[in-house]
């Protein structure tokens, strides 16, 4: 519920008998529990806007469901091992330059994180999980203060660990992450089934923005999605994400897995400012890029307001990542296992995690980049899929600017080519929308 200041929102909820359960400073709102009569009373108050606590879910899928793939056999052969992503986006060439994400902190809002050697330590065997926060249980762990963790905010789903390892796994021998030396902040807002609520996800964004300078958070990864129910600027989750972008945090969001229908981009991927990512697959032919294709599940633009989405696409078919056997995915879907603890998954979640890794590489190469600069260079360096005659193989509403290319993005000098004609400050203030 929004209206005036946080104090005013709290007061008006309490005046009708409701209970405030959480404050959300990032959008100047509160979360509250209300009876039907209390809700009706609030609806009658001028200047107060009430939102339902809608559901949100992770944007990962089974490996066989990657839109045109023939299915994942579970084999670890070179054409079916899910480790093709670094070569496909030329991140391996960036690693050869000594750029691996070191010194860049990425916050991941998801279902938690399993502390395994590949996630807990960077490529130099330095501890890199700076903090964990469990929104659902309101529990925080800070490595700086404790120097170790007395308890563990774990991952009951497996999804959060999978996408984090796709982004950051430091294991050089198998399924290396795109940015294997990033620092990590893990924020748990999704449950063991990969599901959550607006309130919890907004609270997660609120926590990230509030701790931005404590942990030097530069990038926020959101591999989750919900159906749009309003204009982008009216949605409270979108407002939180916009506030994070305005605060200087690069937000990378999944497009969603409800394609190939037009206008299927989910929240918060429909925010015009952020980097929204769709998914492609390599058809299990690692050495041959000619048969790469857009995954049919990958959500498609334009947004309701007419914005081109997604901005870019990245590998999202049968990608290897880590998770525990005891997780919901690991326990109930052993067929996804390739070589324990690696499981093959598909989705715009995996594509967004890969793109987040590219962003971290870009920020290590040039720490001065603003979120708009990052978006500009990422899009300017992307490579669209084209036919033999040079025409686009997919529309801009399917592939955006094209496949991310880490090498070109990290070396780009482009500026001033993203979010033109918009003003996020006016947008958030409610005086101008687009």
């Amino acid at each position: 519920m929004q209206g005036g200041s946080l104090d005013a929102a709290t007061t008006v909820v309490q005046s009708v008998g409701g209970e405030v359960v959480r404050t959300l400073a990032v959008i100047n709102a509160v979360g509250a529990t209300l009876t039907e009569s209390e809700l009706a009373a609030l609806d009658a108050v001028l200047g107060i806007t009430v939102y339902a606590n809608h559901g949100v879910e992770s944007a990962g899928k089974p490996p066989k469901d990657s839109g045109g793939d023939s299915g994942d056999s579970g084999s670890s052969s070179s054409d079916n091992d899910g480790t093709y992503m670094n070569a496909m986006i030329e991140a391996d060439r960036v690693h050869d330059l000594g750029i691996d994400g070191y010194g860049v902190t990425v916050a991941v809002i998801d279902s938690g994180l399993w502390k395994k050697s590949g996630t807990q330590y960077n490529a130099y065997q330095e501890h890199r999980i700076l903090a964990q926060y469990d929104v659902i249980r309101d529990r925080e762990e800070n490595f700086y203060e404790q120097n170790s963790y007395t308890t563990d905010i774990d991952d009951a789903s497996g999804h959060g660990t999978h996408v984090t390892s796709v982004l950051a796994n430091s294991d050089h021998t198998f399924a290396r992450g795109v940015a294997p030396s990033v620092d990590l902040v893990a924020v748990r807002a999704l449950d063991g089934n990969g599901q959550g609520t607006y309130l919890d996800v907004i609270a997660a964004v609120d926590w990230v923005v509030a701790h931005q300078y404590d942990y030097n958070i530069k990038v926020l990864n959101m591999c989750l999605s919900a159906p749009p129910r309003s204009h982008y600027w009216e949605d409270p989750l979108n407002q939180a994400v916009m506030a994070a972008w305005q605060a200087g945090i690069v937000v990378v969001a999944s497009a969603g897995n409800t394609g190939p229908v037009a206008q299927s981009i989910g929240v918060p991927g429909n925010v015009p400012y952020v980097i929204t990512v769709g998914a492609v697959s390599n058809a299990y032919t690692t050495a041959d890029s000619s048969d790469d294709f857009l995954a049919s599940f990958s959500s498609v633009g334009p947004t309701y307001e007419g914005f081109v989405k997604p901005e870019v696409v990245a590998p999202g078919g049968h990608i290897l990542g880590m998770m525990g056997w005891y997780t919901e995915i690991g326990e109930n879907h052993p067929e996804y296992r390739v070589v324990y603890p690696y499981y093959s998954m598909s989705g715009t979640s995996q594509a967004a995690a890969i793109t987040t890794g590219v962003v971290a590489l870009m920020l290590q190469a040039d720490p001065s980049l603003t979120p708009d600069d990052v978006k500009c260079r990422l899009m300017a360096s992307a490579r669209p899929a084209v036919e033999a005659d040079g025409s686009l193989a997919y529309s801009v509403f399917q592939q955006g600017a094209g496949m991310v290319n880490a090498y070109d993005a990290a070396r780009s000098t482009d500026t001033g080519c993203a979010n033109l004609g918009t003003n996020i400050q006016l947008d958030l203030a409610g005086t101008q929308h687009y």
Side-chain angles (χ1 to χ4, degrees), residues 57-61 159 223-225 254-257 297 346-350:
E57 62 181 15
S58 62
K61 299 177 73 65
H159 184 270
C223 296
L224 47 84
S225 189
S254 300
N257 296 336
F297 60 74
S346 299
T348 56
S349 280
Q350 285 65 31

Side-chain angles (χ1 to χ4, degrees), residues 116-136:
K116 190 70 172 173
S117 59
T119 57
Q120 188 167 3
Y121 301 99
N122 65 19
Y124 311 102
Q125 290 304 295
E126 299 169 344
H127 191 287
R128 46 85 172 271
I129 302 175
L130 304 187
Q132 294 179 282
Y133 177 53
D134 186 336
V135 177
I136 299 171

Side-chain angles (χ1 to χ4, degrees), residues 77-300:
S77 69
S78 61
D79 282 348
N80 192 29
D81 65 4
T83 62
Y84 65 92
M85 61 185 186
N86 282 318
M88 191 169 176
I89 63 171
E90 296 194 275
D92 49 359
R93 296 183 66 191
V94 184
H95 299 161
D96 290 342
L97 299 175
I99 299 172
D100 58 4
Y102 189 83
V104 179
T105 303
V106 177
V108 179
I109 296 177
D110 212 286
S111 59
L113 179 61
W114 178 37
K115 292 198 295 293
K116 190 70 172 173
S117 59
T119 57
Q120 188 167 3
Y121 301 99
N122 65 19
Y124 311 102
Q125 290 304 295
E126 299 169 344
H127 191 287
R128 46 85 172 271
I129 302 175
L130 304 187
Q132 294 179 282
Y133 177 53
D134 186 336
V135 177
I136 299 171
R137 291 178 288 181
D138 193 21
R139 192 175 77 196
E140 180 178 347
E141 293 179 357
N142 182 322
F143 181 76
Y144 290 141
E145 294 178 357
Q146 297 178 228
N147 203 36
S148 64
Y149 293 114
T150 55
T151 55
D152 189 21
I153 296 172
D154 214 338
D155 177 12
S157 163
H159 184 270
T161 303
H162 195 274
V163 297
T164 303
S165 66
V166 168
L167 152 69
N169 183 22
S170 61
D171 186 345
H172 282 61
T173 62
F174 197 65
R176 187 186 193 194
V178 177
S181 288
V182 293
D183 289 329
L184 293 170
V185 171
V187 185
R188 179 174 179 259
L190 305 181
D191 64 16
N193 294 313
Q195 298 178 334
T197 66
Y198 261 47
L199 180 59
D200 285 342
V201 177
I202 295 170
V205 178
D206 182 75
W207 188 92
V208 168
V209 173
H211 292 81
Q212 174 183 3
Y213 298 110
D214 296 335
Y215 306 116
N216 195 31
I217 298 170
K218 297 293 186 181
V219 194
L220 172 57
N221 181 81
M222 301 186 73
C223 296
L224 47 84
S225 189
R229 295 177 173 87
S230 65
H231 289 293
Y232 74 84
W233 62 81
E234 296 171 334
D235 187 286
L237 176 51
N238 282 349
Q239 292 171 11
V241 167
M242 289 165 63
W245 187 274
Q246 185 187 36
I249 300 173
V250 182
V251 181
V252 181
S254 300
N257 296 336
T258 54
V261 180
Q263 292 193 324
S264 55
I265 301 291
V267 172
N270 66 332
V271 171
Y273 303 96
V274 307
I275 298 166
T276 305
V277 188
V280 299
S281 181
N282 73 342
Y284 300 96
T285 55
T286 303
D288 181 8
S289 62
S290 66
D291 57 2
D292 296 347
F293 61 90
L294 183 78
S296 62
F297 60 74
S298 188
S299 292
V300 174

